[in-house]
mmCIF file of all heavy atoms in Angstrom:
data_model
loop_
_atom_site.group_PDB
_atom_site.id
_atom_site.type_symbol
_atom_site.label_atom_id
_atom_site.label_comp_id
_atom_site.label_asym_id
_atom_site.label_seq_id
_atom_site.Cartn_x
_atom_site.Cartn_y
_atom_site.Cartn_z
ATOM 1 N N PHE Z 11 3.970 5.368 -8.820
ATOM 2 C CA PHE Z 11 2.638 6.133 -9.044
ATOM 3 C C PHE Z 11 1.666 5.419 -9.981
ATOM 4 O O PHE Z 11 0.496 5.275 -9.736
ATOM 5 C CB PHE Z 11 2.893 7.560 -9.513
ATOM 6 C CG PHE Z 11 3.507 8.504 -8.528
ATOM 7 C CD1 PHE Z 11 4.601 9.341 -8.941
ATOM 8 C CD2 PHE Z 11 3.010 8.580 -7.239
ATOM 9 C CE1 PHE Z 11 5.098 10.208 -7.960
ATOM 10 C CE2 PHE Z 11 3.648 9.431 -6.269
ATOM 11 C CZ PHE Z 11 4.531 10.367 -6.774
ATOM 12 N N ARG Z 12 2.268 4.928 -11.085
ATOM 13 C CA ARG Z 12 1.480 4.237 -11.992
ATOM 14 C C ARG Z 12 0.803 2.944 -11.451
ATOM 15 O O ARG Z 12 -0.413 2.730 -11.632
ATOM 16 C CB ARG Z 12 2.250 3.833 -13.284
ATOM 17 C CG ARG Z 12 1.514 3.026 -14.361
ATOM 18 C CD ARG Z 12 2.428 2.613 -15.500
ATOM 19 N NE ARG Z 12 3.713 2.131 -15.239
ATOM 20 C CZ ARG Z 12 3.989 0.944 -14.774
ATOM 21 N NH1 ARG Z 12 3.000 0.036 -14.643
ATOM 22 N NH2 ARG Z 12 5.227 0.564 -14.560
ATOM 23 N N CYS Z 13 1.598 2.269 -10.680
ATOM 24 C CA CYS Z 13 1.103 0.943 -10.068
ATOM 25 C C CYS Z 13 0.080 1.252 -8.998
ATOM 26 O O CYS Z 13 -0.840 0.501 -8.766
ATOM 27 C CB CYS Z 13 2.327 0.220 -9.549
ATOM 28 S SG CYS Z 13 3.264 -0.646 -10.816
ATOM 29 N N VAL Z 14 0.316 2.246 -8.225
ATOM 30 C CA VAL Z 14 -0.724 2.652 -7.205
ATOM 31 C C VAL Z 14 -2.106 3.018 -7.952
ATOM 32 O O VAL Z 14 -3.100 2.561 -7.553
ATOM 33 C CB VAL Z 14 -0.271 3.796 -6.330
ATOM 34 C CG1 VAL Z 14 -1.411 4.411 -5.514
ATOM 35 C CG2 VAL Z 14 0.848 3.348 -5.387
ATOM 36 N N ASP Z 15 -1.967 3.849 -8.980
ATOM 37 C CA ASP Z 15 -3.136 4.259 -9.726
ATOM 38 C C ASP Z 15 -3.943 3.180 -10.366
ATOM 39 O O ASP Z 15 -5.106 3.261 -10.480
ATOM 40 C CB ASP Z 15 -2.811 5.421 -10.704
ATOM 41 C CG ASP Z 15 -2.488 6.692 -10.044
ATOM 42 O OD1 ASP Z 15 -2.755 6.910 -8.818
ATOM 43 O OD2 ASP Z 15 -1.997 7.595 -10.710
ATOM 44 N N THR Z 16 -3.218 2.204 -10.797
ATOM 45 C CA THR Z 16 -3.869 1.043 -11.514
ATOM 46 C C THR Z 16 -4.003 -0.167 -10.711
ATOM 47 O O THR Z 16 -4.510 -1.228 -11.069
ATOM 48 C CB THR Z 16 -2.964 0.683 -12.769
ATOM 49 O OG1 THR Z 16 -1.728 0.239 -12.300
ATOM 50 C CG2 THR Z 16 -2.893 1.800 -13.796
ATOM 51 N N ALA Z 17 -3.598 -0.070 -9.307
ATOM 52 C CA ALA Z 17 -3.744 -1.053 -8.403
ATOM 53 C C ALA Z 17 -2.961 -2.356 -8.916
ATOM 54 O O ALA Z 17 -3.474 -3.568 -8.727
ATOM 55 C CB ALA Z 17 -5.113 -1.415 -7.996
ATOM 56 N N ASN Z 18 -1.847 -2.128 -9.537
ATOM 57 C CA ASN Z 18 -1.030 -3.235 -10.026
ATOM 58 C C ASN Z 18 -0.148 -3.742 -8.882
ATOM 59 O O ASN Z 18 1.049 -3.377 -8.753
ATOM 60 C CB ASN Z 18 -0.210 -2.782 -11.214
ATOM 61 C CG ASN Z 18 0.618 -3.946 -11.898
ATOM 62 O OD1 ASN Z 18 0.810 -4.915 -11.251
ATOM 63 N ND2 ASN Z 18 0.967 -3.629 -13.084
ATOM 64 N N LEU Z 19 -0.756 -4.653 -8.070
ATOM 65 C CA LEU Z 19 -0.084 -5.037 -6.798
ATOM 66 C C LEU Z 19 1.161 -5.923 -7.150
ATOM 67 O O LEU Z 19 2.110 -5.884 -6.386
ATOM 68 C CB LEU Z 19 -0.971 -5.757 -5.938
ATOM 69 C CG LEU Z 19 -2.283 -4.963 -5.484
ATOM 70 C CD1 LEU Z 19 -3.154 -5.772 -4.609
ATOM 71 C CD2 LEU Z 19 -1.894 -3.739 -4.763
ATOM 72 N N ALA Z 20 1.037 -6.772 -8.137
ATOM 73 C CA ALA Z 20 2.166 -7.654 -8.483
ATOM 74 C C ALA Z 20 3.447 -6.861 -8.808
ATOM 75 O O ALA Z 20 4.503 -7.046 -8.280
ATOM 76 C CB ALA Z 20 1.833 -8.472 -9.593
ATOM 77 N N GLU Z 21 3.241 -5.796 -9.649
ATOM 78 C CA GLU Z 21 4.472 -5.000 -10.043
ATOM 79 C C GLU Z 21 4.826 -4.114 -8.860
ATOM 80 O O GLU Z 21 6.017 -3.964 -8.556
ATOM 81 C CB GLU Z 21 4.195 -4.149 -11.310
ATOM 82 C CG GLU Z 21 5.407 -3.393 -11.764
ATOM 83 C CD GLU Z 21 5.140 -2.619 -13.031
ATOM 84 O OE1 GLU Z 21 4.098 -2.722 -13.647
ATOM 85 O OE2 GLU Z 21 6.040 -1.843 -13.345
ATOM 86 N N LEU Z 22 3.845 -3.545 -8.132
ATOM 87 C CA LEU Z 22 4.188 -2.641 -6.978
ATOM 88 C C LEU Z 22 4.942 -3.349 -5.960
ATOM 89 O O LEU Z 22 5.857 -2.821 -5.312
ATOM 90 C CB LEU Z 22 2.862 -2.148 -6.436
ATOM 91 C CG LEU Z 22 2.884 -1.020 -5.368
ATOM 92 C CD1 LEU Z 22 3.644 0.180 -5.920
ATOM 93 C CD2 LEU Z 22 1.549 -0.622 -4.963
ATOM 94 N N GLU Z 23 4.616 -4.657 -5.739
ATOM 95 C CA GLU Z 23 5.430 -5.371 -4.712
ATOM 96 C C GLU Z 23 6.889 -5.397 -4.956
ATOM 97 O O GLU Z 23 7.739 -5.347 -4.045
ATOM 98 C CB GLU Z 23 4.838 -6.808 -4.633
ATOM 99 C CG GLU Z 23 5.520 -7.700 -3.697
ATOM 100 C CD GLU Z 23 4.902 -9.122 -3.522
ATOM 101 O OE1 GLU Z 23 4.170 -9.481 -4.457
ATOM 102 O OE2 GLU Z 23 5.274 -9.817 -2.612
ATOM 103 N N GLY Z 24 7.244 -5.446 -6.247
ATOM 104 C CA GLY Z 24 8.642 -5.491 -6.558
ATOM 105 C C GLY Z 24 9.338 -4.139 -6.558
ATOM 106 O O GLY Z 24 10.577 -4.039 -6.716
ATOM 107 N N LEU Z 25 8.591 -3.044 -6.309
ATOM 108 C CA LEU Z 25 9.123 -1.690 -6.275
ATOM 109 C C LEU Z 25 9.476 -1.200 -4.891
ATOM 110 O O LEU Z 25 10.096 -0.218 -4.683
ATOM 111 C CB LEU Z 25 8.187 -0.673 -6.911
ATOM 112 C CG LEU Z 25 7.839 -0.982 -8.427
ATOM 113 C CD1 LEU Z 25 6.739 -0.010 -8.847
ATOM 114 C CD2 LEU Z 25 9.026 -0.965 -9.333
ATOM 115 N N VAL Z 26 8.911 -1.892 -3.834
ATOM 116 C CA VAL Z 26 9.013 -1.447 -2.476
ATOM 117 C C VAL Z 26 9.788 -2.444 -1.649
ATOM 118 O O VAL Z 26 9.594 -3.624 -1.887
ATOM 119 C CB VAL Z 26 7.736 -1.074 -1.855
ATOM 120 C CG1 VAL Z 26 7.016 0.059 -2.501
ATOM 121 C CG2 VAL Z 26 6.780 -2.211 -1.752
ATOM 122 N N HIS Z 27 10.636 -2.024 -0.749
ATOM 123 C CA HIS Z 27 11.358 -2.884 0.166
ATOM 124 C C HIS Z 27 10.402 -3.692 1.154
ATOM 125 O O HIS Z 27 9.333 -3.120 1.480
ATOM 126 C CB HIS Z 27 12.321 -2.098 0.963
ATOM 127 C CG HIS Z 27 13.330 -2.864 1.680
ATOM 128 N ND1 HIS Z 27 13.093 -3.401 2.948
ATOM 129 C CD2 HIS Z 27 14.563 -3.260 1.344
ATOM 130 C CE1 HIS Z 27 14.135 -4.116 3.331
ATOM 131 N NE2 HIS Z 27 15.028 -4.034 2.389
ATOM 132 N N PRO Z 28 10.677 -4.824 1.505
ATOM 133 C CA PRO Z 28 9.809 -5.594 2.519
ATOM 134 C C PRO Z 28 9.500 -4.797 3.766
ATOM 135 O O PRO Z 28 8.429 -4.932 4.406
ATOM 136 C CB PRO Z 28 10.469 -6.834 2.813
ATOM 137 C CG PRO Z 28 11.342 -7.097 1.544
ATOM 138 C CD PRO Z 28 11.751 -5.728 1.065
ATOM 139 N N ASP Z 29 10.478 -3.961 4.170
ATOM 140 C CA ASP Z 29 10.336 -3.175 5.417
ATOM 141 C C ASP Z 29 9.929 -1.755 5.193
ATOM 142 O O ASP Z 29 10.216 -0.913 5.969
ATOM 143 C CB ASP Z 29 11.652 -3.207 6.259
ATOM 144 C CG ASP Z 29 12.017 -4.633 6.671
ATOM 145 O OD1 ASP Z 29 11.117 -5.507 7.004
ATOM 146 O OD2 ASP Z 29 13.179 -4.951 6.702
ATOM 147 N N VAL Z 30 9.351 -1.500 4.003
ATOM 148 C CA VAL Z 30 8.922 -0.177 3.625
ATOM 149 C C VAL Z 30 7.963 0.467 4.673
ATOM 150 O O VAL Z 30 7.272 -0.205 5.312
ATOM 151 C CB VAL Z 30 8.287 -0.076 2.309
ATOM 152 C CG1 VAL Z 30 6.897 -0.733 2.322
ATOM 153 C CG2 VAL Z 30 8.138 1.349 1.823
ATOM 154 N N THR Z 31 8.309 1.754 5.056
ATOM 155 C CA THR Z 31 7.417 2.529 5.857
ATOM 156 C C THR Z 31 6.817 3.631 5.076
ATOM 157 O O THR Z 31 7.563 4.215 4.203
ATOM 158 C CB THR Z 31 8.110 3.046 7.135
ATOM 159 O OG1 THR Z 31 9.223 3.836 6.699
ATOM 160 C CG2 THR Z 31 8.624 1.946 7.979
ATOM 161 N N THR Z 32 5.548 3.921 5.293
ATOM 162 C CA THR Z 32 4.862 5.006 4.545
ATOM 163 C C THR Z 32 3.980 5.789 5.486
ATOM 164 O O THR Z 32 3.481 5.256 6.497
ATOM 165 C CB THR Z 32 4.087 4.420 3.368
ATOM 166 O OG1 THR Z 32 3.077 3.582 3.879
ATOM 167 C CG2 THR Z 32 4.937 3.725 2.372
ATOM 168 N N CYS Z 33 3.795 7.083 5.086
ATOM 169 C CA CYS Z 33 2.966 7.896 5.828
ATOM 170 C C CYS Z 33 2.253 8.804 4.830
ATOM 171 O O CYS Z 33 2.898 9.575 4.104
ATOM 172 C CB CYS Z 33 3.667 8.794 6.907
ATOM 173 S SG CYS Z 33 2.613 9.829 7.821
ATOM 174 N N TYR Z 34 0.899 8.704 4.715
ATOM 175 C CA TYR Z 34 0.171 9.522 3.800
ATOM 176 C C TYR Z 34 -0.752 10.374 4.638
ATOM 177 O O TYR Z 34 -1.523 9.949 5.439
ATOM 178 C CB TYR Z 34 -0.648 8.633 2.890
ATOM 179 C CG TYR Z 34 0.241 7.672 2.042
ATOM 180 C CD1 TYR Z 34 0.244 6.333 2.328
ATOM 181 C CD2 TYR Z 34 1.054 8.144 1.060
ATOM 182 C CE1 TYR Z 34 1.078 5.526 1.680
ATOM 183 C CE2 TYR Z 34 1.902 7.342 0.358
ATOM 184 C CZ TYR Z 34 1.841 5.921 0.656
ATOM 185 O OH TYR Z 34 2.707 5.120 -0.059
ATOM 186 N N VAL Z 35 -0.755 11.670 4.269
ATOM 187 C CA VAL Z 35 -1.606 12.655 5.001
ATOM 188 C C VAL Z 35 -2.443 13.345 4.021
ATOM 189 O O VAL Z 35 -2.072 13.834 3.024
ATOM 190 C CB VAL Z 35 -0.621 13.661 5.749
ATOM 191 C CG1 VAL Z 35 -1.468 14.722 6.489
ATOM 192 C CG2 VAL Z 35 0.259 12.956 6.708
ATOM 193 N N GLY Z 36 -3.747 13.418 4.404
ATOM 194 C CA GLY Z 36 -4.739 14.213 3.479
ATOM 195 C C GLY Z 36 -5.481 15.098 4.458
ATOM 196 O O GLY Z 36 -5.243 15.242 5.648
ATOM 197 N N GLY Z 37 -6.530 15.735 3.941
ATOM 198 C CA GLY Z 37 -7.372 16.705 4.702
ATOM 199 C C GLY Z 37 -7.834 16.075 5.994
ATOM 200 O O GLY Z 37 -7.925 16.656 7.049
ATOM 201 N N SER Z 38 -8.377 14.843 5.975
ATOM 202 C CA SER Z 38 -9.046 14.274 7.083
ATOM 203 C C SER Z 38 -8.378 12.931 7.533
ATOM 204 O O SER Z 38 -8.967 12.167 8.291
ATOM 205 C CB SER Z 38 -10.513 14.028 6.922
ATOM 206 O OG SER Z 38 -10.687 13.130 5.778
ATOM 207 N N TYR Z 39 -7.239 12.577 6.926
ATOM 208 C CA TYR Z 39 -6.675 11.241 7.289
ATOM 209 C C TYR Z 39 -5.105 11.352 7.450
ATOM 210 O O TYR Z 39 -4.479 12.252 6.881
ATOM 211 C CB TYR Z 39 -7.040 10.215 6.254
ATOM 212 C CG TYR Z 39 -6.425 10.514 4.877
ATOM 213 C CD1 TYR Z 39 -5.205 10.040 4.561
ATOM 214 C CD2 TYR Z 39 -7.100 11.204 3.886
ATOM 215 C CE1 TYR Z 39 -4.662 10.351 3.349
ATOM 216 C CE2 TYR Z 39 -6.561 11.487 2.656
ATOM 217 C CZ TYR Z 39 -5.286 11.009 2.333
ATOM 218 O OH TYR Z 39 -4.777 11.243 1.173
ATOM 219 N N ARG Z 40 -4.615 10.364 8.074
ATOM 220 C CA ARG Z 40 -3.200 10.174 8.263
ATOM 221 C C ARG Z 40 -3.124 8.664 8.233
ATOM 222 O O ARG Z 40 -3.622 7.904 9.136
ATOM 223 C CB ARG Z 40 -2.620 10.784 9.520
ATOM 224 C CG ARG Z 40 -1.163 10.433 9.655
ATOM 225 C CD ARG Z 40 -0.617 11.265 10.957
ATOM 226 N NE ARG Z 40 0.832 10.985 11.004
ATOM 227 C CZ ARG Z 40 1.713 11.884 10.651
ATOM 228 N NH1 ARG Z 40 1.316 13.012 10.103
ATOM 229 N NH2 ARG Z 40 3.019 11.729 10.782
ATOM 230 N N ILE Z 41 -2.445 8.037 7.324
ATOM 231 C CA ILE Z 41 -2.236 6.618 7.254
ATOM 232 C C ILE Z 41 -0.737 6.281 7.333
ATOM 233 O O ILE Z 41 0.059 6.699 6.561
ATOM 234 C CB ILE Z 41 -2.796 6.094 5.866
ATOM 235 C CG1 ILE Z 41 -4.214 6.394 5.702
ATOM 236 C CG2 ILE Z 41 -2.515 4.498 5.799
ATOM 237 C CD1 ILE Z 41 -4.720 6.054 4.353
ATOM 238 N N GLU Z 42 -0.381 5.496 8.370
ATOM 239 C CA GLU Z 42 0.974 5.101 8.590
ATOM 240 C C GLU Z 42 1.004 3.604 8.453
ATOM 241 O O GLU Z 42 0.347 2.956 9.094
ATOM 242 C CB GLU Z 42 1.528 5.566 9.896
ATOM 243 C CG GLU Z 42 1.528 7.106 9.996
ATOM 244 C CD GLU Z 42 2.190 7.649 11.290
ATOM 245 O OE1 GLU Z 42 3.382 7.189 11.618
ATOM 246 O OE2 GLU Z 42 1.631 8.440 12.020
ATOM 247 N N LEU Z 43 2.006 3.197 7.672
ATOM 248 C CA LEU Z 43 2.122 1.680 7.458
ATOM 249 C C LEU Z 43 3.630 1.290 7.647
ATOM 250 O O LEU Z 43 4.522 2.078 7.413
ATOM 251 C CB LEU Z 43 1.665 1.360 6.009
ATOM 252 C CG LEU Z 43 0.300 1.854 5.577
ATOM 253 C CD1 LEU Z 43 0.107 1.904 4.111
ATOM 254 C CD2 LEU Z 43 -0.754 1.084 6.323
#
């Protein structure tokens, strides 16, 4: 959460698996990666 909020991509890269899958849902959006 901290790395997302601060856009700390270098640290964030080390927190997620290379094959990570994500799905974010909001009021008007759905983002699947």
Side-chain angles (χ1 to χ4, degrees):
F11 287 136
R12 176 180 47 78
C13 289
V14 167
D15 286 348
T16 60
N18 184 340
L19 300 180
E21 187 177 351
L22 189 57
E23 181 176 13
L25 301 177
V26 298
H27 190 276
D29 297 325
V30 66
T31 56
T32 57
C33 179
Y34 303 107
V35 178
S38 62
Y39 66 86
R40 180 181 184 95
I41 302 170
E42 295 187 54
L43 306 165

